[in-house]
Amino acid sequence: MYKSQLVVVPHPDLPGEYRVVIGPRRRAACELAGLPAATCRIREDLPPAEQRQMMVRENVHRADLTAVEEADAYQAMLDIDGLTVDQVATAVSRSETTVRSRLRLARLPEQARTAIHEHTATLEDAAALADITDDVERERLAAALGGLNFPLALRKARDRQEERALAAPLLAALDAVGAVEHKRDAYGAPAGSVMVESFSPRYTATETAEALAAQVAPGWSFRWSYGSLYVYRPHTLEEAQEAADREAARTAADEARDAALAADAAARAVLTELAETTAALRAEFLGRLIHDRKALPASAPARIAALAADAVIYTPSSAPTDLDIGLGESDLVAWARVAVPEGWEAMQSWQRPSLLPELVEATRPLPGPQRLLLALAASIEPVPPRWWRAGPDSSGLMAWYGLLEDLGYPVSDAERALLTPPPADGEAE
């Protein structure tokens, strides 16, 4: 008869009310069926600990009870009622092994408990996680619980735990002097330190760790890096001075390099400005010479022809010149002063040759030397930056300026400075 009855006790916080100890699901079923009352057995003398045991004993076999809920109930019996594990096992009719297994879940990080409660992680994975004793390691591993990377993360965590166990004497000595543990899997000794020893606990005799433990002193530190333990001590005064000297030399070298880079950038900026300015002056000079059909000096036609020939027959493998120039339609159009159709710049390269007949007709009235000069100007101008950087070592630059001077171009002092070779050793400037 009692098996079908609800068991209730006086509610500890609501006088005159009762709390269901056994049969909460039967009560819910009665309410769902619309029954106005259910038969209850009132236990006025039931101690809280026994109430809890009765509730756990009834609920522990529910199909919908999660392992985390079961673990929390057992833990409460330990913490609140003061029972031992074997007493809990007897009270709930479970084996002591099962109770201990569930109790391990109660100590897991909340993230792991949630995963088990929501059935996104297995009890086997949870048990493996509970075997990891380091709190930080366990928190990190809990984040991977239920994911595809959990097996790999677990293996690494177990490896690290085994390594720490093998190096336990040394780690205990380091902990005793307050040694700092540096970031894992990094390289290089921390600032102000020098490495004393590095070894892999898996492959090094335990005596090595024990011998090193005897030397540990305040100020020491350590780092785990890819399975090896690196131990550091502070610099001596001499080592600190040597380190400071090396740092000063490195700083000086860095400053010298930065200064050289800044000077080079400044020189390039000046060179770029000069190239842009002189390009405009040369374009104006050559434009008048070509299109105004001014008389050329007597020596100019021969020099124009010679330079044009060099450009035509140039081969990088044999010619001792850097007249590596090209002739594009855009340059020819600009120098020949031909009106281009709308959308010229957007045309494909195979479409542009359609303008060549116009180019030919536009330049046909020019004398032969001027036509050659136009082609050279279109090929060379603006002077390539590599020519300016090479200065007098650029045969193309020297040949071009030689022709320009012969044609009457007024070379500025700045241009002259770039075209003049530096004095040889022992020569006066």
Side-chain angles (χ1 to χ4, degrees):
M1 175 180 177
Y2 289 147
K3 287 186 178 181
S4 62
Q5 291 179 338
L6 305 181
V7 176
V8 298
V9 296
H11 200 291
D13 300 322
L14 301 174
E17 299 287 334
Y18 291 89
R19 182 174 65 183
V20 177
V21 174
I22 294 179
R25 287 178 295 169
R26 291 196 293 276
R27 174 188 174 179
C30 290
E31 291 177 349
L32 189 63
L35 297 179
T39 304
C40 298
R41 181 185 179 194
I42 300 174
R43 295 287 301 272
E44 301 275 0
D45 57 344
L46 198 62
E50 192 172 342
Q51 293 177 27
R52 196 162 15 256
Q53 292 174 31
M54 291 176 68
M55 294 171 69
V56 171
R57 189 163 48 244
E58 182 189 19
N59 290 315
V60 76
H61 299 291
R62 278 171 36 208
D64 61 342
L65 184 71
T66 69
V68 171
E69 292 172 330
E70 187 180 346
D72 290 342
Y74 296 162
Q75 191 65 49
M77 294 173 73
L78 292 177
D79 297 339
I80 300 175
D81 303 335
L83 301 182
T84 62
V85 173
D86 59 320
Q87 288 173 331
V88 171
T90 301
V92 298
S93 302
R94 289 278 203 181
S95 70
E96 188 173 333
T97 301
T98 299
V99 173
R100 289 187 184 279
S101 175
R102 293 293 186 270
L103 284 171
R104 295 167 71 189
L105 304 181
R107 295 187 291 273
L108 291 178
E110 191 58 37
Q111 189 173 7
R113 288 165 48 84
T114 301
I116 298 166
H117 186 71
E118 295 176 351
H119 304 290
T120 59
T122 66
L123 289 178
E124 290 77 9
D125 287 347
L129 176 61
D131 287 336
I132 304 302
T133 57
D134 183 76
D135 292 339
V136 175
E137 195 78 72
R138 192 164 56 240
E139 287 284 350
R140 182 166 51 236
L141 189 58
L145 189 64
L148 295 176
N149 291 330
F150 180 76
L152 177 61
L154 176 63
R155 181 173 62 78
K156 290 183 176 181
R158 283 172 169 168
D159 288 346
R160 288 191 285 266
Q161 181 162 290
E162 182 182 355
E163 289 161 0
R164 284 185 172 274
L166 293 171
L170 176 55
L171 293 175
L174 289 166
D175 184 63
V177 297
V180 174
E181 181 174 1
H182 300 290
K183 182 180 178 182
R184 176 180 281 271
D185 297 337
Y187 291 102
S193 300
V194 63
M195 187 177 71
V196 179
E197 185 70 71
S198 69
F199 63 95
S200 172
R202 287 176 175 276
Y203 307 108
T204 305
T206 307
E207 290 76 11
T208 302
E210 293 174 346
L212 192 56
Q215 305 174 38
V216 172
W220 283 39
S221 60
F222 66 99
R223 182 202 315 279
W224 286 99
S225 184
Y226 301 103
S228 293
L229 181 61
Y230 292 76
V231 182
Y232 309 98
R233 62 166 174 76
H235 277 154
T236 63
L237 291 178
E238 293 79 5
E239 290 169 341
Q241 184 59 53
E242 290 174 1
D245 291 343
R246 286 194 300 270
E247 183 60 29
R250 187 161 44 246
T251 300
D254 290 344
E255 290 175 350
R257 182 201 61 219
D258 293 344
L261 291 174
D264 183 62
R268 285 176 177 269
V270 171
L271 196 61
T272 299
E273 183 180 1
L274 175 66
E276 292 173 353
T277 303
T278 57
L281 294 174
R282 290 191 304 274
E284 182 182 357
F285 169 79
L286 289 166
R288 290 198 306 268
L289 205 61
I290 294 168
H291 294 286
D292 294 348
R293 305 182 188 181
K294 289 187 176 181
L296 302 178
S299 60
R303 295 200 63 173
I304 292 172
L307 188 56
D310 282 346
V312 171
I313 67 173
Y314 164 70
T315 53
S317 61
S318 60
T321 176
D322 57 4
L323 275 173
D324 181 11
I325 57 181
L327 196 57
E329 298 93 337
S330 298
D331 299 318
L332 280 172
V333 163
W335 280 92
R337 299 180 180 176
V338 172
V340 296
E342 186 176 351
W344 162 263
E345 293 299 334
M347 281 186 181
Q348 299 295 325
S349 58
W350 59 268
Q351 296 173 310
R352 291 184 174 183
S354 61
L355 202 61
L356 285 178
E358 254 186 89
L359 282 170
V360 172
E361 289 302 318
T363 59
R364 193 183 300 280
L366 297 176
Q370 270 86 349
R371 294 182 79 187
L372 271 180
L373 185 59
L374 182 149
L376 282 172
S379 300
I380 295 174
E381 290 292 344
V383 170
R386 57 188 174 81
W387 285 13
W388 282 117
R389 287 194 293 271
D393 292 329
S394 169
S395 56
L397 181 66
M398 300 303 288
W400 182 234
Y401 262 84
L403 174 59
L404 290 174
E405 284 196 83
D406 201 20
L407 294 173
Y409 174 71
V411 180
S412 67
D413 292 341
E415 290 171 292
R416 183 72 64 193
L418 292 173
L419 297 169
T420 304
D425 293 341
E427 293 183 7
E429 295 188 9

